[in-house]
Amino acid sequence: MSSIRVFEAAARLNSFTRAAEELGMTQAAVSWQIKALETKLGISLFRRLPREVRPTEPGERLSRAATEAMTLLRRAFAEVTETDQGVLTITTLTTLATQWLAPRLGAFQLANPGLAVRLDTSPHIVDLARSNVDVALRSGSGDWPGTEAALLMPSVFVPLCSPALCATLKLTTPADLLDAPRVGDEKEWAAWFASAGVSTPTTPATQLRADIQGLEVAAALGGQGVALGSPILFAREIAAGLLTRPFAHTVTLSNGYWIAWPEDRRRSPKIARFRDWLLAEAAADPAIAAG
């Protein structure tokens, strides 16, 4: 086990020296442990380069397995000792976080005063099986390797604009939106038009596109155009009269928004508490019930 622990660090860091620093050993001790493991297995695990080491092909295979095993062991020890139970780390989509999750988190933290919540809204998909992130809120199929998932809400979209722009455009039928200033991805708009029975031109007509749904709807709030947005995530703005739905017709653009967690940590107390609370919040949301 000692040799495997040393090998995993060296392969992950591509350096005997950095592995020694991480493990609190000397570089010579790391080199000796690797050599002993190579002798025992009868294969070379690393290519020794001038400034670094790189795993050989069998070393790569063993490295992946060793990293997974060490991750599982670290998590198991953390759960047994509850050393990581004071912080819940969530990775989530930005618009889902700002429009739906953040306004509700206060209630969760009041009910769980000993648990601090950290939100990560980076656009990169985090590998839950190999990270310290506890829970992910994602859009997609709900089928991700190494995870379990539960559906939170459907991924439905509807045209949204300011009441003033709606009055100016005099929108009466979905086809009227073909000549309206539109915000967002043209393929998504094409999907909405098709579901509404409207033929679309081959030339794109959207005037603004952003990587984040919230930014596109913010442009609609400012009267810059009509955006496709979730009537669930922007239910407060619709109810307050800041946004209007010129047409009730919606289009589904993915299999929904999900809460996902590592399958090997399904019994973690903090994950279970947050999962149960979040699913109850979704079940009680009238905007989700309305679809």
Side-chain angles (χ1 to χ4, degrees):
M1 283 297 297
S2 177
S3 295
I4 292 174
R5 178 168 168 260
V6 170
F7 164 75
E8 187 276 333
R12 173 165 43 82
L13 299 170
N14 291 322
S15 169
F16 288 176
T17 300
R18 289 198 294 274
E21 292 172 353
E22 179 178 293
L23 299 173
M25 303 170 62
T26 64
Q27 192 271 348
V30 168
S31 182
W32 183 86
Q33 289 272 23
I34 297 296
K35 188 64 177 176
L37 186 60
E38 289 178 323
T39 300
K40 183 176 181 64
L41 296 176
I43 57 174
S44 177
L45 296 173
F46 288 99
R47 290 180 289 114
R48 275 73 169 174
L49 304 175
R51 294 180 181 274
E52 63 179 3
V53 293
R54 290 282 181 178
T56 60
E57 183 177 347
E60 282 281 5
R61 294 200 302 271
L62 185 59
S63 171
R64 288 192 293 270
T67 297
E68 290 176 4
M70 294 304 295
T71 299
L72 288 174
L73 282 172
R74 280 192 290 268
R75 285 179 175 172
F77 277 109
E79 288 179 10
V80 169
T81 60
E82 295 191 344
T83 56
D84 72 337
Q85 292 303 307
V87 178
L88 178 76
T89 303
I90 305 166
T91 178
T92 176
L93 300 168
T94 301
T95 303
L96 183 60
T98 58
Q99 291 296 126
W100 194 85
L101 178 61
R104 291 169 166 80
L105 269 180
F108 176 76
Q109 293 187 295
L110 284 174
N112 297 271
L115 185 59
V117 176
R118 292 179 182 170
L119 286 181
D120 170 29
T121 58
S122 65
H124 307 292
I125 295 179
V126 176
D127 184 351
L128 294 180
R130 296 193 175 196
S131 71
N132 292 323
V133 174
D134 301 301
V135 173
L137 304 186
R138 296 174 174 172
S139 173
S141 66
D143 182 17
W144 297 287
T147 69
E148 296 176 349
L151 182 65
L152 275 180
M153 64 184 76
S155 178
V156 291
F157 287 77
V158 67
L160 297 172
C161 63
S162 69
L165 181 62
C166 186
T168 300
L169 294 175
K170 296 181 173 61
L171 302 172
T172 58
T173 70
D176 293 336
L177 285 173
L178 291 173
D179 298 322
R182 299 196 302 275
V183 177
D185 185 275
E186 192 62 30
K187 291 182 179 179
E188 294 178 353
W189 270 109
W192 185 85
F193 279 122
S195 67
V198 178
S199 298
T200 56
T202 56
T203 304
T206 53
Q207 297 185 347
L208 172 66
R209 179 184 174 185
D211 292 332
I212 299 173
Q213 181 189 163
L215 295 178
E216 294 177 349
V217 177
L221 276 164
Q224 302 303 304
V226 185
L228 278 179
S230 166
I232 298 171
L233 300 185
F234 294 94
R236 286 175 300 159
E237 288 79 0
I238 295 170
L242 300 175
L243 287 171
T244 188
R245 298 173 59 170
F247 307 105
H249 183 78
T250 63
V251 64
T252 300
L253 296 179
S254 79
N255 290 335
Y257 294 102
W258 302 75
I259 174 173
W261 58 91
E263 60 184 357
D264 61 301
R265 298 182 63 201
R266 66 175 67 92
R267 296 183 182 87
S268 168
K270 64 179 179 180
I271 291 177
R273 289 202 304 274
F274 181 73
R275 177 182 63 225
D276 294 346
W277 170 82
L278 195 68
L279 291 174
E281 286 291 311
D285 188 342
I288 294 177

